[in-house]
């Protein structure tokens, strides 16, 4: 497992494979990029977590279609949608607060439940500030994304912050 991301991840993976290591490699969302999918054989079977998967008819697929309509180019990363999700969360918190007062928005944010984003449904209630949302697990298969699963933890599984 590695938390490496660009520009280090492609070099790491190529060096690993060149050294003869053929075992499963697991990574994080930092490698959800066009570079990873262009690596060819070294990336085959790689599994990583990311913020979403654009299944046909999903909110993320709809977001990607709108993104391409507006920009004239397809989205090459899920992180465009993550930014959209952030705006949707702030919008929902502002509406729930009925105010633009920062304290009121913060308090409303802490109680948000079921905000539909492009990548998943997002909940902050009961989480001490770490949202509950789906995590997409992707496998690289023949240079494309293959969905392995989309688990979503419950608020009880998220550890409390450890601030001293």
């Amino acid at each position: 497992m590695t938390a490496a991301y660009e520009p280090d991840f492609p070099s790491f993976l190529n060096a690993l494979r060149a050294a003869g290591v053929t075992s499963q490699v697991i990574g994080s969302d930092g490698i959800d990029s066009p570079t990873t999918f262009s690596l060819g054989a070294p990336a085959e079977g790689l599994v990583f977590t990311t913020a979403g998967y654009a299944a046909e008819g999903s909110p993320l697929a709809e977001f990607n279609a709108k993104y391409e309509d507006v920009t004239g180019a397809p989205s090459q990363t899920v992180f465009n949608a993550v930014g959209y999700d952030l705006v949707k969360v702030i919008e929902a918190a502002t509406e729930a607060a009925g105010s633009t007062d920062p304290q009121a928005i913060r308090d409303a944010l802490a109680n948000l439940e079921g905000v539909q984003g492009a990548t998943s449904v997002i909940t902050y209630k009961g989480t001490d500030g770490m949202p509950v949302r789906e995590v997409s697990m992707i496998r690289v298969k023949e240079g494309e994304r293959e969905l392995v699963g989309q688990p979503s933890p419950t608020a009880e599984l998220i550890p409390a912050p450890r601030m001293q």
Side-chain angles (χ1 to χ4, degrees):
M1 189 285 166
T2 180
Y5 53 92
E6 288 193 46
D8 301 323
F9 177 73
S11 298
F12 164 77
L13 186 60
N14 283 324
L16 192 69
R17 298 304 189 217
V21 178
T22 59
S23 64
Q24 173 72 59
V25 176
I26 300 170
S28 64
D29 65 350
I31 61 173
D32 187 359
S33 75
T35 304
T36 296
F37 293 93
S38 70
L39 291 173
E44 189 65 21
L46 169 71
V47 173
F48 62 91
T49 58
T50 192
Y53 177 77
E56 189 173 328
S58 69
L60 183 54
E62 292 174 24
F63 173 87
N64 286 343
K66 289 177 186 176
Y67 180 93
E68 187 168 355
D69 286 346
V70 169
T71 66
S75 176
Q76 295 187 3
T77 177
V78 73
F79 297 112
N80 300 314
V82 171
Y84 172 84
D85 287 358
L86 260 163
V87 171
K88 295 304 286 181
V89 164
I90 293 168
E91 175 187 53
T94 303
E95 287 176 358
S99 167
T100 57
D101 174 67
Q103 181 83 28
I105 293 171
R106 186 199 69 192
D107 293 346
L109 178 69
N111 288 300
L112 284 181
E113 289 185 90
V115 177
Q116 180 63 62
T119 61
S120 74
V121 174
I122 304 162
T123 293
Y124 279 85
K125 188 172 185 173
T127 67
D128 289 321
M130 179 61 70
V132 172
R133 46 165 297 118
E134 283 181 346
V135 175
S136 296
M137 295 177 64
I138 305 296
R139 177 183 296 117
V140 177
K141 184 174 181 180
E142 298 174 4
E144 300 293 328
R145 285 173 175 81
E146 177 185 53
L147 182 64
V148 175
Q150 289 181 303
S152 183
T154 60
E156 298 79 38
L157 291 175
I158 299 173
R162 294 180 294 180
M163 301 168 89
Q164 310 238 350

